Amino acid sequence: MTALSVNLNKIALLRNSRGHDEPNVVAFAKKFIDLGVTGITIHPRPDERHITRQDAIDLGNLIAPLKGIELNIEGYPSEEFLQLIEAVKPDQTTLVPDLPGQLTSDHGFDFNTQAEFLAPILSRLKQTGTRISVFLDPDLEQVKMAAKSDADRIELYTEEYARTFISADHDEVHQRYQAAALLAQELGLAVNGGHDLNLNNLKKFVSIPGILEVSIGHALIIECLEQGMNSVVEQYLAICQHSA
């Protein structure tokens, strides 16, 4: 079974557009948890254009005492971000190579050029007790290098998988994701996935053996607007429960 972690960034973006606390991020986290979701993801950025530091603290306080529910905080490992992780101590920290002001994630880490940068960061995060996941493209050489680091998991960046889903070359793309996932597991890394996954393309992705978690936000929130939260979450959980 694959765990579903709902990314709340778009809830926070909608709230921030009016300058008050509606919709409330913690209240929506509770709604998703009550519907059976076992993970909440947030990706705070330096300009706090959606998720804020206070949101991270509030969600940490909500989720810490809840058995079987995990908080995943994603982000670029700046000093400010690392201090936030040390304060909140989420169940999982996902490191993403976003630049300040970047609209959204668009690539994984390159261990050829960034392994030395990541090494002390991973060592520091280990001291917090958080599980560490590193955002990665489905590249076998990158997987091999990630396995030599202190990371516990990789999160496969699935934009290409989603973008090519209805194209003629999708089977080849899918095979690359599967090969990366299987190699990671052989080398001792657990595997997550995220970015542009939705109700249409998720089933095939989680047919890859061993995908432990998917993080989904943008598409899921749109689908909730179109179909309603209860129906959408029920559909996602059904797909995840029948994963490989």
Side-chain angles (χ1 to χ4, degrees), residues 144-163:
K144 291 175 184 177
M145 287 183 281
K148 296 177 182 178
S149 76
D150 280 334
D152 302 299
R153 295 188 183 187
I154 59 170
E155 179 176 330
L156 290 174
Y157 169 52
T158 53
E159 186 276 336
E160 183 184 14
Y161 168 88
R163 175 172 48 81

Side-chain angles (χ1 to χ4, degrees), residues 153-203:
R153 295 188 183 187
I154 59 170
E155 179 176 330
L156 290 174
Y157 169 52
T158 53
E159 186 276 336
E160 183 184 14
Y161 168 88
R163 175 172 48 81
T164 64
F165 188 68
I166 59 172
S167 69
D169 61 347
H170 180 71
D171 285 344
E172 183 273 329
V173 172
H174 182 268
Q175 286 300 317
R176 284 198 286 109
Y177 277 87
Q178 178 162 295
L182 294 179
L183 177 61
Q185 292 169 71
E186 289 174 11
L187 297 177
L189 290 168
V191 182
N192 299 339
H195 203 87
D196 288 348
L197 296 172
N198 59 35
L199 285 174
N200 293 324
N201 62 36
L202 179 62
K203 183 177 180 179

Side-chain angles (χ1 to χ4, degrees), residues 100-162:
Q102 189 167 323
L103 181 62
T104 188
S105 306
D106 63 7
H107 63 285
F109 275 102
D110 181 357
F111 274 84
N112 283 309
T113 59
Q114 296 175 294
E116 290 186 11
F117 164 71
L118 286 171
I121 291 168
L122 296 174
S123 178
R124 178 174 170 180
L125 288 174
K126 283 286 186 183
Q127 305 307 309
T128 70
T130 188
R131 180 198 309 129
I132 306 169
S133 181
V134 178
F135 211 50
L136 209 67
D137 296 315
D139 179 285
L140 298 184
E141 292 307 312
Q142 292 295 327
V143 171
K144 291 175 184 177
M145 287 183 281
K148 296 177 182 178
S149 76
D150 280 334
D152 302 299
R153 295 188 183 187
I154 59 170
E155 179 176 330
L156 290 174
Y157 169 52
T158 53
E159 186 276 336
E160 183 184 14
Y161 168 88

